[in-house]
C-alpha cells in the first residue's frame, strides 16, 4: 500500500503535468464532474459535458451558461500552461489575472461555494512552477527585466491568492487523483481516505511524513519542493526504517533511536535532503524517544533543523515553522521543568550514553544545547518576518499578534535560567524582552496585555481544535509518544500592571548580571521608555549618567541606531515638556546630515551624490526597523524645525550684522532657500509651515506664526495636544516679543510695559521678566523707569562701520594674544614677572571681549550673563560707564590699531620691561574707553 | 515648615550616632510631635549599644519606670560582650597605654607589626581585636576612647578596607566630640582615599562621596573656614556629579554657603546652572529664591521666597545654629543670609532700572 502511494506521490507533479497537457479536454470534465458531483449530480452530466466538449470544435451548440464559463476557464488554463512551457512570465501573469476574473463568474453560475477543481489544479501547477523558477537562481538572473518583474509580481499575487484556498490546494496535493479522476465518487474517496488513515497508523508512516512535508511545503515559498518527490524517493529506505520502528513499538530501543538520530543529523547540508523533511523526520523521532533526556536532545535538533529551513540571510523563517518552533521550545521547557536533574549547557561534553539515563535516574544528566541562542534566533526571525511583511497588510497585524507567543517562551526561558543560576544568560533574555516592550507607550502596552489575555481565550479554542487535530494525528501517526510530557510551564505571559513595572523588573536583572553590550542596550531602551512616558528629566539624567553618548561611536550599528532613536525620543520628550533648547540640542545633530531616515533606520534614503552598492543596500535593508516601531518623521521634523525657529529667529534679529553666528545651520539653509523663492504659495508640508511661521515671527507677528503652526496635521499624534499647543503658543509669544525688541528697539525712545503686554498678549509679569532678562544679558540697551513702568532705550546702536570695526578689534586682540603666546613659547616664558603679566593680559582681553559682546550683543544669554554678574559684582559698572561715554561722544570706533601696534612694539623690543609694559597694557585695557575717545578723530 | 525638613533624607546617609544631634535640634524646634522624635530616637538607639540612654528615653516617652524586657536583656548582653572584647584587646591596649612602649613604634608599619609580634606576642588577632573594641566603644557612645583606639589601629593595620572604615569611625568620633579642626583633617584624608583610583566600584565610590558630603556638613557649618571648604568640596566635578545623581538636597547647603560667602560670588552662575538642571528633582525656598532672582528676574517672587528662606534656615539643624550672647539668641547664618540676599536683590534691581521710586 505504501508503494502504491509512493508511486502516486512520486510522479505527482510530473504526471499531473503530462496528464493535463495531453488531455486538455478532461480538465473540463473533472471540473464539471466535481461541480456536478458536489452538487449531487451524477456522472451522466459529466460525460455529457465531455461530449459536448469534443464536438465543440465544429458546430455551434447551444450550451448552458455554466458550460460556457467553464470552457473559458479551461482555455485560460491552457494558455497558462503554454506560457509556462516557454517560460513566458508576462503572458502567464496576464492569464492568471484573467483566470481569477473568470473564476468569479464561474462560481456565480455554478451557484455553489466550491471552487472548480481545474482552478485549484492550475494554482498548484503555478505554484510548483514558480517555486522552480525561483529556486533556479541562474535562470532568474538571465531573465529579461520585464520578465523578472512579471515573475516577482506573480510571486506576490500567487502567495496572496493561494492563501485563500490553502486547504483545497493541500487537498489537491495530497490526493491529486480526486481532482483528476472524475469517476471516483467523492464518497468513495473519503472512505478510502479513512481507510488509509486508519491503516496508516501502523503500516504507512511514509505517507504521513509525505503529507506532512507537503503541508509544510505549501506554505513555504522558498521552493523547497523543487525536487520534493525526488528526495522522498531517495529517503524511502529511511522511511521504511521508520516503519520498522513503528511496527513493534516495544522493540524500539534507545540505541536504535540514537543511531537514527545521528544518521539524520549527519545528513544535514547534504544534497538531496529536504530541509523540511529533516524536520519531519526528527519530529517523528521525538515521539519514539526512550528517555526524557533523549527526547530533549532530539528536540534540540528539531529546533535547529527548523531554523535551517530558511537558508538565506535575507528571508525569514516561514511563519508556521516559526510557530512550531515556539511550541518545541515550550516542550523543551516542559521537559526541563519536569526533570530538574537534566541540565542544558554547552560547556560540558556529554558522554556517549548520557541520554540513555532514564527518567528515574537521579544524578545530573547533561544535554548539549543553548537555549539562549535558540531564543535569540527565534527573536531575530520574528523581527525579520516583520521587516519583510508589508506593514499595510493584514498579515502584518496577524504577525504582530504572535508577539505574546514569543514573550511566553522568553519569559519561561528566563525563569528557567534564573532557576538554573545562569544569570548572565538570563540577562540576555531579559534584554530581548525589553526590546519588545521598550518602545510601547502605556496604551499600546495595555493593548498588548489585553491581546495576550484574549489570545489565550481564542487560543484555547484554536488549541482545542488544534489539539484535537493533534490528537487525531497522534492516533493516526503512530503509537503514543513514549515519554509523555505534561504542560508544565505556563503558556501565557504574565505582564505587570504597567510597562514601567516590567521594564524595571527586567532592568534590575540586566544591570546586575548583563555584559557591557547588554547593559548599554538595556540602558538605551530604558531611556527611550522614560522619554516616551513624558519623563524627560529622568531620561536625560540616565543618559548623562551612563556616558553612553561618549562611546556610542564604538558600538555596533544596531546599537547606534537605537541610540539615534533614543535621541529622537528625548527631543520629542523635551519638546512636549516645553524645553525648547534641550529639544533642539537633541534633534539638531540628527538633522545636520540630512539623513534622518538612514540614521533612524526607517526607510532607505536615496542619496544624490554617491550610489550605494547593492551590498550596502542589502545590509541597510536588514537593519530597518519594523513599521510598528517607527518614530513619526513628520512630527520629528516639525519638532526640530519649530525649536530651531524659536531659537534662531531672535538670534537672527539680534545679530543682523553677523550672519555667521547661527545656532542651526540646517534651519538657516532652509530659510535661505525659502527666501529665494519668488512666489510664496500656501504652505503644504511641514517645512513650508515652519518657514511661513518663521516669516511671521521675524516680524513679531505671533498670532499668525502660531496659526500656521497650529494648522499642522501632526499635532493630533500627541497625547496631550492641548497642553503642548498652549506651551507652544506661550513660547512663540515670548520669542516674538524678544524678536520685536531686537528688531525695532532703535525706533523707540521709550515703550510702556502696558503696551507690550497688549501687543503680545502676555501678562505683565511675564513681559517684565523677559525684558529684564534681556537687559541683564545686555541684549537690550535699555533700563526700566519704575514709576512709569516704561522701558527707556539708550540710543547706542552702532553703525555698520562701527560694528565691523568692533569685529576687527576682536580679531586683533586674538592676534595679539596668540602672538604673545608664541613669543612666550619661544623664549620659554620664564622671565621674571611673567606670570602676573600674563594674568593681567588675560583679564585685559577678557574685558575687551566682554565689551565687544556688550555692544554687538553677540552671544546670547550665557556669555552676557556671566559677564553681568562678575562685572557688576565688582561694583565698578564699567560697561555702563562705557555706554555713557559712548552716548556722550559722537563718532567712535576708531579703535586703536596703532595702539596695538605700539603695544606689540613695546614688548617686542624689550622683555626686560615686561613688568611695566604689562602694567601699561593692563591699564590700556581699563582705559580703552578713553583711548577710544581719543578716537583718532 | 515641616515639608522643608530634610532630616529624613539626610539620615539615610549618616551614621546612627550622627543623627542624634539632628534629632535633638528637631526636638527643640517643635516641628514634629515630641513622641515621634523620641520614638525615632529609641529606634535609632536600637542600632547602637547605648542601652541606658534608650531606657531613659523609654521612661520619659511612656512616663513609666518600667523598662521592657528586651532592653534589660540587651543591656546584659552588651555588658558581657564589652567584657569579652576588653579581654581580647587587653594586651594591645596595655601596650598602647604605656608611653615608653609607644615611643618604640616607628613610622614603618611592617617593622611595627614585626616588633609587636616578636617582643609582645601581639599578632594580627590582637590588632583586629583592637578594631572591634574601638567599634564597640563607639557604639557605646565613648567617642574619645574610640577615636584614640582607631587612630592607633590605623597605624598598625594593613587591611586597606578596615583602615578605611577605621577612618570613617575616627571622623564620626571627632565630629561627635566637636573637634572641628581634627575632623577637618580626617575629612581631607578620607577624601583623598575616596578619590584615589583604586577604589572598588564606581557605585561604591559614589556612595562614599555622598556620605562624605553629608558628614562634612557638620564640620563646614561649625568650622570657621567651613564656608569656603564647602564650596571648594561641593563644586568639584566629581562631587557635584554625586550631588546631582543622588543627593540634590545638598544644594540647599551649597546655595546658602554661596550666598553668604561674599568672596565666592563667582560660583553663583555655576550654582544657578545646577539648580536649574535639578529643579525637577529638588527645590526648596533657597534654591527657588536664586532662581527667581537670577533666572526669571521676578523681584516680587524673590522677596516672597526670602521670607520662606528665613523659616527654612531657622529650622535647619545645620543652618539654624544658635549662638547665645548674653540674653540674646542670634542665628548668625540667618542674618548673614538675609543681608546678602537683600543685597543681591537690590543690586540686580538697580542694574536694570534707571529710576526707582523708593517711597
Amino acid at each position: 500500500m505504501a508503494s502504491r502511494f509512493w508511486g502516486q506521490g512520486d510522479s505527482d507533479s510530473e504526471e499531473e503535468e503530462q496528464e493535463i497537457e495531453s488531455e486538455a479536454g478532461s480538465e473540463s470534465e473533472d471540473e464539471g464532474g466535481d461541480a456536478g458531483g458536489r452538487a449531487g449530480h451524477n456522472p451522466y452530466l459529466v460525460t455529457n459535458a465531455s461530449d459536448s466538449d469534443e464536438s465543440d470544435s465544429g458546430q455551434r451548440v447551444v450550451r448552458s451558461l455554466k458550460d460556457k464559463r467553464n470552457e473559458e476557464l479551461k482555455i485560460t488554463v491552457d494558455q497558462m500552461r503554454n506560457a509556462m512551457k516557454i517560460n513566458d512570465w508576462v503572458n502567464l501573469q496576464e492569464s492568471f489575472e484573467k483566470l481569477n476574473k473568470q473564476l468569479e463568474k464561474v462560481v456565480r453560475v455554478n451557484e455553489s461555494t466550491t471552487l472548480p477543481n481545474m482552478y485549484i489544479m492550475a494554482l498548484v501547477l503555478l505554484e510548483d512552477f514558480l517555486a522552480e523558477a525561483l529556486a533556479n537562481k541562474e535562470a532568474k538572473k538571465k531573465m529579461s527585466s520585464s520578465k523578472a518583474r512579471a515573475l516577482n509580481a506573480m510571486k506576490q499575487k500567487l502567495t496572496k491568492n493561494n492563501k485563500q484556498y490553502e486547504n483545497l490546494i493541500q487537498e489537491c496535493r495530497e490526493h491529486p487523483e480526486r481532482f483528476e479522476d472524475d469517476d471516483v465518487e467523492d464518497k468513495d474517496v473519503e472512505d478510502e481516505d479513512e481507510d488509509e488513515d486508519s491503516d496508516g497508523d501502523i503500516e504507512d508512516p511514509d505517507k504521513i511524513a509525505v503529507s506532512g512535508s507537503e503541508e509544510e511545503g505549501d506554505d513555504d515559498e522558498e521552493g523547497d519542493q523543487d525536487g520534493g518527490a525526488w528526495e522522498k524517493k531517495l529517503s524511502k529506505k529511511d522511511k521504511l526504517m521508520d516503519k520498522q520502528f513503528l511496527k513493534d513499538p516495544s522493540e524500539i530501543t534507545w540505541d536504535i533511536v540514537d543511531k537514527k538520530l545521528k544518521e539524520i543529523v549527519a545528513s544535514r547540508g547534504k544534497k538531496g535532503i529536504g530541509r523540511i523533511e529533516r524536520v519531519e523526520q526528527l519530529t517523528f523521532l521525538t515521539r519514539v524517544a526512550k528517555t526524557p533526556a533523549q527526547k530533549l536532545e532530539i528536540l534540540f535538533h528539531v529546533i535547529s533543523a527548523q531554523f535551517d529551513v530558511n537558508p538565506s540571510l535575507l528571508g525569514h523563517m516561514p511563519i508556521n515553522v516559526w510557530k512550531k518552533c515556539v511550541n518545541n521550545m515550550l516542550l523543551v521547557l516542559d521537559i526541563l521543568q519536569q526533570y530538574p536533574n537534566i541540565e542544558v549547557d554547552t560547556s560540558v561534553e556529554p558522554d556517549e550514553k548520557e541520554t540513555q539515563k532514564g527518567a528515574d535516574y537521579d544524578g545530573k544528566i547533561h544535554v548539549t544545547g543553548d537555549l539562549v541562542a535558540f531564543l535569540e534566533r527565534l527573536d531575530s526571525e520574528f523581527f525579520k518576518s516583520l521587516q519583510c511583511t508589508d506593514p499595510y497588510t493584514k498579515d502584518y497585524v496577524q504577525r504582530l499578534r504572535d508577539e505574546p507567543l514569543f514573550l511566553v517562551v522568553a519569559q519561561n526561558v528566563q525563569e528557567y535560567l534564573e532557576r538554573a543560576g545562569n544569570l548572565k544568560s538570563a540577562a540576555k533574555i531579559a534584554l530581548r524582552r525589553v526590546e519588545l516592550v521598550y518602545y510601547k507607550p502605556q496604551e499600546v502596552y495595555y493593548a498588548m496585555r489585553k491581546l495576550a489575555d484574549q489570545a489565550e481565550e481564542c487560543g484555547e479554542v484554536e488549541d482545542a481544535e488544534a489539539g484535537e487535530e493533534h490528537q487525531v494525528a497522534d492516533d493516526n501517526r503512530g503509537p503514543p509518544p513514549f515519554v509523555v510530557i505534561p504542560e508544565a510551564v505556563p503558556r501565557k505571559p504574565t505582564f505587570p500592571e504597567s510597562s514601567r513595572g516590567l521594564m524595571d523588573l527586567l532592568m534590575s536583572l540586566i544591570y546586575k548580571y548583563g555584559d557591557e553590550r547588554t547593559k548599554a542596550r538595556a540602558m538605551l531602551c530604558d531611556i527611550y521608555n522614560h522619554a516616551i512616558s513624558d519623563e524627560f528629566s529622568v531620561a536625560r539624567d540616565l543618559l548623562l549618567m551612563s556616558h553612553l553618548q561618549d562611546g556610542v561611536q564604538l558600538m555596533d550599528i544596531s546599537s547606534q541606531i537605537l541610540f539615534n532613536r533614543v535621541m529622537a525620543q528625548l527631543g520629542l520628550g523635551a519638546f512636549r515638556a516645553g524645553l525648547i533648547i534641550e529639544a533642539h540640542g537633541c534633534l539638531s545633530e540628527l538633522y545636520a546630515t540630512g539623513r534622518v531616515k538612514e540614521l533612524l533606520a526607517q526607510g532607505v534614503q536615496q542619496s544624490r551624490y554617491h550610489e550605494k552598492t547593492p551590498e550596502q543596500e542589502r545590509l541597510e535593508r536588514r537593519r530597518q526597523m519594523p513599521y510598528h516601531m517607527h518614530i513619526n518623521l513628520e512630527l520629528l521634523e516639525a519638532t526640530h524645525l519649530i525649536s530651531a525657529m524659536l531659537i534662531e529667529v531672535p538670534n537672527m534679529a539680534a545679530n543682523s550684522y553677523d550672519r555667521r553666528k547661527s545656532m542651526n545651520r540646517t534651519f538657516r539653509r532652509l530659510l535661505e532657500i525659502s527666501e529665494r523663492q519668488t512666489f510664496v504659495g500656501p504652505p503644504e508640508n511641514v517645512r513650508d509651515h515652519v518657514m511661513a511661521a518663521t516669516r511671521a515671527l521675524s516680524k513679531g507677528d505671533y498670532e499668525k506664526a502660531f496659526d500656521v503652526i497650529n494648522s499642522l496635521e501632526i499635532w493630533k499624534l500627541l497625547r496631550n495636544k492641548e497642553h503642548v499647543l498652549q506651551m507652544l503658543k506661550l513660547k512663540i509669544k515670548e520669542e516674538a516679543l524678544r524678536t520685536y525688541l531686537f528688531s525695532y528697539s532703535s525706533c523707540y525712545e521709550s515703550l510702556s510695559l502696558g503696551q507690550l503686554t497688549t501687543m503680545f498678549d502676555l501678562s505683565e509679569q511675564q513681559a517684565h521678566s523677559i525684558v529684564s532678562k534681556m537687559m541683564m544679558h545686555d541684549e537690550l540697551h535699555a533700563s526700566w523707569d519704575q514709576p512709569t513702568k516704561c522701558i527707556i532705550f539708550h540710543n547706542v546702536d552702532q553703525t555698520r562701520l562701527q560694528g565691523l570695526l568692533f569685529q576687527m578689534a576682536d580679531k586683533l586682540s586674538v592676534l595679539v594674544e596668540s602672538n604673545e603666546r608664541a613669543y612666550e613659547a619661544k623664549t620659554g616664558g620664564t622671565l621674571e614677572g611673567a606670570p602676573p603679566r600674563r594674568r593681567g593680559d588675560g583679564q585685559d582681553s577678557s574685558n575687551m571681549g566682554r565689551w565687544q559682546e556688550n555692544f554687538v550683543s553677540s552671544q546670547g544669554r550665557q556669555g552676557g550673563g556671566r559677564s553681568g554678574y562678575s562685572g557688576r559684582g565688582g561694583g565698578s559698572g564699567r560697561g555702563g560707564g562705557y555706554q555713557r561715554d559712548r552716548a556722550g561722544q559722537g563718532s567712535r570706533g576708531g579703535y586703536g590699531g596703532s595702539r596695538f601696534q605700539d603695544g606689540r612694539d613695546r614688548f617686542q623690543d624689550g622683555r626686560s620691561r615686561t613688568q611695566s609694559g604689562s602694567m601699561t597694557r593692563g591699564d590700556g585695557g581699563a582705559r580703552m574707553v578713553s583711548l577710544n575717545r581719543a578716537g583718532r578723530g | 515648615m515641616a515639608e522643608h525638613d530634610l532630616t529624613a533624607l539626610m539620615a539615610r546617609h549618616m551614621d546612627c550616632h550622627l543623627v542624634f544631634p539632628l534629632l535633638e535640634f528637631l526636638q527643640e524646634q517643635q516641628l514634629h510631635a515630641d513622641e515621634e522624635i523620641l520614638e525615632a530616637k529609641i529606634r535609632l538607639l536600637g542600632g547602637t549599644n547605648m542601652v541606658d540612654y534608650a531606657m531613659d528615653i523609654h521612661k520619659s516617652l511612656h512616663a513609666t519606670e518600667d523598662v521592657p524586657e528586651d532592653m534589660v536583656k540587651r543591656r546584659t548582653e552588651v555588658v558581657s560582650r564589652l567584657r569579652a572584647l576588653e579581654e581580647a584587646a587587653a594586651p594591645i591596649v596595655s601596650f598602647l597605654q604605656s608611653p615608653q612602649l609607644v615611643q618604640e613604634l616607628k613610622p614603618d608599619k611592617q617593622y611595627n607589626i614585626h616588633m609587636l609580634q616578636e617582643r609582645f606576642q601581639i599578632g594580627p588577632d590582637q590588632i583586629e581585636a583592637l578594631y572591634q573594641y574601638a567599634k564597640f566603644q563607639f557604639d557605646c557612645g565613648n567617642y574619645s576612647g574610640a577615636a584614640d583606639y582607631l587612630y592607633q589601629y590605623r597605624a598598625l593595620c594593613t587591611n586597606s578596607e578596615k583602615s578605611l572604615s577605621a577612618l570613617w569611625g575616627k571622623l564620626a568620633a571627632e565630629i561627635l566630640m566637636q573637634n572641628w579642626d581634627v575632623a577637618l583633617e580626617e575629612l581631607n584624608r578620607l577624601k583623598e582615599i575616596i578619590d584615589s583610583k583604586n577604589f572598588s566600584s564606581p557605585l561604591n565610590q559614589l556612595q562614599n562621596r555622598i556620605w562624605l558630603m553629608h558628614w562634612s556638613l557638620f564640620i563646614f557649618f561649625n568650622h570657621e573656614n567651613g564656608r569656603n571648604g564647602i564650596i571648594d568640596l561641593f563644586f568639584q566635578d566629581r562631587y557635584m556629579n554625586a550631588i546631582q545623581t543622588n543627593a540634590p538636597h545638598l544644594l540647599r547647603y551649597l546655595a546658602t554657603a554661596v550666598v553668604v560667602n561674599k568672596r565666592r560670588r563667582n560660583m553663583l552662575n555655576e550654582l544657578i546652572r545646577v539648580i536649574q538642571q535639578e529643579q525637577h528633582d529638588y527645590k526648596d525656598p533657597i534654591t527657588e529664591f536664586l532662581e527667581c532672582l537670577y533666572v526669571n528676574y521676578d523681584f516680587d517672587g524673590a522677596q516672597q521666597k526670602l521670607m520662606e528662606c528665613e523659616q527654612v534656615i531657622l529650622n535647619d539643624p545645620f543652618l539654624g545654629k544658635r549662638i547665645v550672647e548674653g540674653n540674646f539668641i542670634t542665628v548668625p547664618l540667618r542674618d548673614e543670609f538675609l543681608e546678602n540676599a537683600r543685597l543681591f536683590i537690590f543690586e540686580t534691581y538697580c542694574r536694570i532700572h534707571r529710576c526707582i521710586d523708593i517711597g
Side-chain angles (χ1 to χ4, degrees), chain A residues 24-69:
Chain A
S26 75
E27 228 37 68
S28 83
E29 279 169 21
D30 61 51
E31 187 274 313
D34 181 63
R38 297 262 155 114
H41 286 261
N42 49 19
Y44 169 69
L45 211 153
V46 178
T47 43
N48 209 10
S50 77
D51 276 354
S52 78
D53 273 351
E54 274 153 36
S55 57
D56 194 27
S57 50
Q59 77 239 58
R60 278 184 162 268
V61 178
V62 179
R63 283 174 301 166
S64 65
L65 184 65
K66 203 153 123 190
D67 293 342
K68 208 170 130 201
R69 295 289 182 228

Side-chain angles (χ1 to χ4, degrees), chain B residues 91-92 95 113 116-124 126-127:
Chain B
I92 191 158
F95 166 82
I113 291 169
L116 283 176
Q117 180 76 35
E118 290 284 291
R119 289 180 45 200
F120 303 93
Q121 284 79 48
I122 297 175
Q126 273 77 23
I127 297 178

Side-chain angles (χ1 to χ4, degrees), chain A residues 545 769 773 784 786 869, chain B residues 245 269 295-296 352 354 357:
Chain A
M545 264 193 273
S769 163
K773 213 182 279 181
W784 288 105
Q786 195 224 356
Y869 299 139
Chain B
T245 330
N269 282 306
V295 179
N296 300 327
I352 55 169
R354 199 184 64 149
D357 185 4

Side-chain angles (χ1 to χ4, degrees), chain A residues 646-925:
Chain A
L646 288 174
I647 292 169
E648 194 74 9
V649 169
N651 183 28
M652 280 180 343
N655 306 322
S656 42
Y657 291 129
D658 189 2
R659 295 201 68 93
R660 287 163 312 156
K661 281 181 183 153
S662 64
M663 314 287 270
N664 186 325
R665 283 180 203 286
T666 323
F667 179 79
R668 276 288 175 94
R669 213 183 50 239
L670 290 179
L671 193 60
E672 271 161 28
I673 292 170
S674 91
E675 272 168 359
R676 245 181 271 146
Q677 283 172 348
T678 327
F679 301 106
V680 183
E684 279 168 6
N685 54 15
V686 172
R687 191 179 296 174
D688 291 348
H689 274 87
V690 179
M691 288 306 134
T694 305
R695 275 192 292 276
L697 189 62
S698 55
K699 291 191 199 83
D701 184 351
Y702 80 91
E703 268 171 339
K704 194 173 164 210
F706 179 71
D707 284 346
V708 176
I709 298 281
N710 196 16
S711 66
L712 277 173
E713 284 282 314
I714 39 144
W715 298 123
K716 67 174 187 289
L717 298 176
L718 289 178
R719 211 175 313 157
N720 41 2
K721 172 187 166 195
E722 286 310 310
H723 177 75
V724 171
L725 284 176
Q726 210 70 40
M727 175 280 294
L728 208 53
K729 188 164 191 179
L730 183 66
K731 294 277 173 202
I732 288 177
K733 278 180 197 171
E734 286 179 8
E735 296 309 326
L737 169 61
R738 280 162 52 79
T739 312
Y740 186 81
L741 286 178
F742 277 131
S743 308
Y744 303 114
S745 65
S746 56
C747 308
Y748 288 95
E749 272 288 304
S750 65
L751 191 55
S752 84
L753 185 60
Q755 199 176 351
L756 274 186
T757 53
T758 46
M759 269 171 81
F760 293 97
D761 188 30
L762 285 162
S763 77
E764 221 167 81
Q765 203 192 354
Q766 284 165 326
H768 188 275
S769 163
I770 295 166
V771 176
S772 300
K773 213 182 279 181
M774 289 174 76
M775 289 177 183
M776 272 321 250
H777 297 156
D778 294 305
E779 291 169 335
L780 186 66
H781 307 292
S783 49
W784 288 105
D785 188 77
Q786 195 224 356
T788 55
K789 284 195 175 172
C790 275
I791 308 167
I792 311 289
F793 291 97
H794 308 279
N795 200 8
V796 287
D797 279 309
Q798 59 206 5
T799 62
R800 174 135 182 85
L801 175 67
Q802 285 167 340
L804 288 175
L805 281 169
F806 272 115
Q807 279 179 30
M808 186 181 78
D810 230 353
K811 282 184 183 141
L812 280 175
S813 71
V814 172
L815 192 69
V816 170
E817 221 172 88
S818 54
N819 195 21
E820 238 169 89
R821 231 177 274 133
Y823 184 81
E824 263 173 35
K826 209 173 171 189
T827 59
T830 49
L831 284 169
E832 198 194 335
R837 213 195 82 78
R838 211 182 301 151
R839 206 180 307 132
D841 274 355
Q843 263 168 11
D844 184 0
S845 57
S846 76
N847 273 350
M848 213 151 57
R850 192 183 307 149
W851 285 353
Q852 250 90 58
E853 265 173 40
N854 286 352
F855 263 81
V856 188
S857 12
S858 57
Q859 270 300 350
R861 312 144 193 218
Q862 288 292 324
R866 199 167 303 131
S867 77
Y869 299 139
S870 50
R872 305 308 151 130
S876 66
R878 274 177 290 192
Y882 187 23
Q883 283 167 8
R884 234 174 293 125
D885 222 336
R886 284 186 60 76
Q889 297 296 318
S891 84
R892 73 225 39 254
Y895 185 89
S898 58
R899 160 78 199 159
F900 270 97
Q901 205 66 51
D902 345 278
R904 217 177 309 153
D905 285 345
R906 192 177 305 158
F907 71 74
Q908 268 170 0
D909 60 27
R911 260 310 210 196
S912 57
R913 284 188 295 133
T914 24
Q915 186 65 50
S916 63
S918 83
M919 288 311 289
T920 30
R921 268 181 53 71
D923 283 352

